[in-house]
Amino acid sequence: MDYSNRFGVTADDQALADAVGRFAQAELAPRASELDRTESSVTCHVKALAELGIMGMNIDECWGGPGVSPTGMLLALVEISRACAATSSMIGAHYLGTDAVQIAGDDAQREAWLPRAASGEWLAGFALTEPLGGSSPVDMRTRAVRDGDYYRIDGVKQFISNAAEARFLVVFAKTDPEAGPRGVSAFVVDMQTPGVSVSSHEKLMGIRGAHAFEVSFEDVRVPLNCRLGAEGSGFRTAMKVLDNCRLDVAATALGLAQAALDAAAQWVRERKVGGEPLATRQGIQWMLADMKLRLEASWALTLQATALRAEGRNFTQQSAMAKLHASEMVGFVTDAALQIHGGYGFTRDLPLERYVRDARILRIYEGSSEIQRTIIARGVLA
């Protein structure tokens, strides 16, 4: 797609989007339906994605990243999401884990974990959510107890993407159970460590190829040098990481919505009722106009937040607005596209029903719509 008229997009960003778009349409799109139907893992694409530099786009060049801008990374994820939202989700989970190491780790930790993650040799994940307390630090039950040069971690995490194939997870655990959010610490846990066990993948409604798991930690001994930052700094790390990842979710929504809008536009040009294309009907035109309007508003919010990120400025509120608007927008656009297709849209022969299912999770993970509204309101009242 041509992004050259969008705010902040450079020639290098466009060139990256073109390259990723060609790959996504040639390699990801043809397999998306089958991977969804069989619930096969989209990690089958990791090697090819890594060859394009995609697995390390969020990582600084000194640690093996390809040196792309935040805007270039956004466009690349949009192109991937146009072809396969599950693949974009898998990449986003990998970015969560590697972002945490890059943000909170020291140079020795970054050198130990990031280059092989950037190359695609190692897959990463992010273990914050729990079965009973969600992502609330107050209700977190996973514990990390200091034992000499080690911590012993015990607990259970839920809906952890990539866990079965990840080499490492960034795990959040209470080191001071009485301190609330200030008692949470972050640890890089090698998934080959004894005591780590992973369930079979969850049976998801959408993004079925982006597998999520329950992960149990039973007396898992983690070296002291695998703690990221000081004790008690883990929740602050998680919030910084989620600021970044919410833009990845917005990118997924933008790409998925564009795919649905493109499908609807093509359908109404070709589908005839009473001898006339559906595109001649004002009601259909107005539906397409509303879809496009909401999509463009999400683009504006997302690019604004991305520009602030690129400048190193605080973008917490802008990231929350982008994620909220885009994730709710894509629900509207995919549903409208299915409606335009009528009964055919409700069949599995076309991708519309998959688009609707894939879009639904975007209002839930990496902070629900309700959480985003709380973050936005907090900024208004500050």
Side-chain angles (χ1 to χ4, degrees), residues 266-326:
Q266 180 179 351
W267 180 262
V268 301
R269 292 187 190 102
E270 297 173 355
R271 178 69 168 165
K272 292 185 177 180
V273 176
E276 294 289 334
L278 280 176
T280 63
R281 305 295 179 93
Q282 186 182 65
I284 295 293
Q285 293 172 1
W286 285 10
M287 290 178 72
L288 294 172
D290 286 341
M291 295 159 73
K292 178 66 171 176
L293 181 65
R294 297 191 190 200
L295 176 57
E296 289 301 311
S298 288
W299 266 109
L301 287 167
T302 304
L303 286 172
Q304 178 193 37
T306 302
L308 291 174
R309 177 184 180 180
E311 294 172 4
R313 297 166 61 185
N314 182 285
F315 63 102
T316 296
Q317 188 178 38
Q318 287 77 13
S319 179
M321 289 191 291
K323 196 269 188 187
L324 173 63
H325 195 279

Side-chain angles (χ1 to χ4, degrees), residues 36-74:
D36 174 77
R37 185 185 67 80
T38 60
E39 299 187 37
S40 300
S41 176
V42 294
T43 54
C44 62
H45 297 309
V46 166
K47 182 179 179 180
L49 291 165
E51 289 174 354
L52 283 175
I54 291 169
M55 301 307 291
M57 285 195 301
N58 63 316
I59 296 173
D60 289 346
E61 285 184 89
C62 59
W63 310 117
V68 304
S69 71
T71 302
M73 183 170 71
L74 175 77

Side-chain angles (χ1 to χ4, degrees), residues 24 40 59 95 105 139 144 150 157 176 204 267 279 307 317 324 363:
S40 300
I59 296 173
Y95 289 174
D139 297 318
Y150 290 84
K157 297 294 184 177
D176 183 352
L204 302 178
W267 180 262
Q317 188 178 38
L324 173 63
R363 284 179 271 169

